[in-house]
Amino acid sequence: MKIDSTLTKDIDVTASAAREIEQAGYDGLWVGETKHDPFLQVFQALQATENITVGTSIAIAFARTPMTTANVAYDLARHARGRFVLGLGSQVKPHIERRFSMPWSSPAARMREFVLALKAIWTAWQEESKLDFQGEFYTHTLMTPFFAPPPHPAGPPPVFVAGVNTVMTEIAGEVADGFFIHPFTTPRYLEEVTLPALRRGREKTGKTLEGFEIAGPSFVAVGRTEQELATAIAGTKAQIAFYASTPAYRAVLELHGWGELQPELTRLTKEGKWESMADLIDDEMLHTFAIVGGPDEIGPALIAKLGAVATRLTFYATYKTDPELLPELLRQVRAADQ
């Protein structure tokens, strides 16, 4: 089992934070795309570290084209010498259309084609062959020597795809090298929905889940004192509420009989009542989605939740945590995984 950490959103301390994560003994670190360009932070983290895996979790695929993504990912793979993982996600329609001003349609089918286009471009570069990818959403048929980067020993990076609903998850199993479990999930949803969909996707190419990476970020609310724990719980409830307001994730709530909560949370987002949303997340929901407790309780609970499913585990804490907790949490998870 590989244990990873999430990199800080503070771009001014990316390098130092990456060094601390590596020195603490983690196997990998992940950079999300929120306030800053994730590839810039990945580059900073790679420069500051020596052995740790560094990847995006996630970069927003539909905010880019396969060619622009292929370029930056291929260069990062060269620089990383095998330490970079390209993690992709679709985001949701309002953000793609209104924030990025990019087209949105058939997200699962588009993601499938996006990944296949990426791999076709990389093959053309790595094997110095003709580029001829023609799909419904993307067409890449022009690549002259002047614009083609030379092959490199590291080769293209592995591609992970994030998903929640069944179609996107099945697509990930078919065309990707790994899958990101969304933090907004539950053990029951994983068992009844996610794993069957991944297996169906793998079966389309005659493969099983053997050798297929599953990265499992999990909400963790941890504190060494009552005040620390209360702060962690408040931050975690707020993040659960944020994800629960997304219509695309309603299926997770419906499986547990909480489907009607989603439109109520969506209404609050439209009214700008962000601070009120966490109040709708009760303790039952908190403990269903998150692992809550002191440092010595987190390790066994995390292994129990995802140990039989994931090949990589990540603490997903959306509140400010004490950096000294990083090595402490890692020790607890390593001990529980023995």
Side-chain angles (χ1 to χ4, degrees), residues 60 62-63 90-107 110:
I60 299 170
F62 303 155
S90 62
Q91 246 300 344
V92 294
K93 182 178 180 179
H95 283 267
I96 299 303
E97 291 187 337
R98 294 166 49 202
R99 182 154 70 99
F100 293 103
S101 191
M102 293 288 280
W104 173 274
S105 64
S106 308
R110 185 180 285 269

Side-chain angles (χ1 to χ4, degrees), residues 7-8 10 12-23 44-45 48:
L7 193 65
T8 173
D10 186 349
D12 294 326
V13 297
T14 295
S16 59
R19 278 192 293 269
E20 288 176 2
I21 290 170
E22 182 171 58
Q23 290 168 2
Q44 290 176 304

Side-chain angles (χ1 to χ4, degrees), residues 215-235:
S218 178
F219 286 119
V220 171
V222 59
R224 290 166 296 193
T225 66
E226 288 186 9
Q227 183 57 51
E228 278 188 352
L229 189 57
T231 299
I233 287 172

Side-chain angles (χ1 to χ4, degrees), residues 32-171:
E33 180 165 10
T34 53
K35 301 179 186 299
H36 306 290
D37 187 298
F39 298 120
L40 176 57
Q41 286 193 278
V42 164
F43 183 70
Q44 290 176 304
L46 285 169
Q47 286 188 305
T49 58
E50 296 180 359
N51 301 303
I52 198 169
T53 297
V54 182
T56 54
S57 67
I58 48 79
I60 299 170
F62 303 155
R64 301 170 172 85
T65 71
M67 184 61 70
T68 57
T69 307
N71 266 126
V72 68
Y74 198 66
D75 287 345
L76 284 171
R78 178 195 297 271
H79 181 69
R81 299 178 182 177
R83 293 197 290 132
F84 173 62
V85 174
L86 175 63
L88 298 173
S90 62
Q91 246 300 344
V92 294
K93 182 178 180 179
H95 283 267
I96 299 303
E97 291 187 337
R98 294 166 49 202
R99 182 154 70 99
F100 293 103
S101 191
M102 293 288 280
W104 173 274
S105 64
S106 308
R110 185 180 285 269
M111 181 64 79
R112 179 182 185 276
E113 197 171 292
F114 193 103
V115 175
L116 292 175
L118 275 178
K119 294 187 174 184
I121 294 166
W122 288 334
T123 297
W125 292 341
Q126 194 70 10
E127 299 180 4
E128 298 181 296
S129 57
K130 180 179 174 58
L131 175 60
D132 186 17
F133 183 86
Q134 300 182 54
E136 178 184 356
F137 308 102
Y138 304 105
T139 299
H140 299 280
T141 58
L142 178 62
M143 181 53 60
T144 61
F146 185 81
F147 295 103
H152 59 77
V159 179
F160 289 13
V161 169
V164 175
N165 291 318
T166 54
V167 181
M168 185 67 79
T169 304
E170 192 170 318
I171 291 297

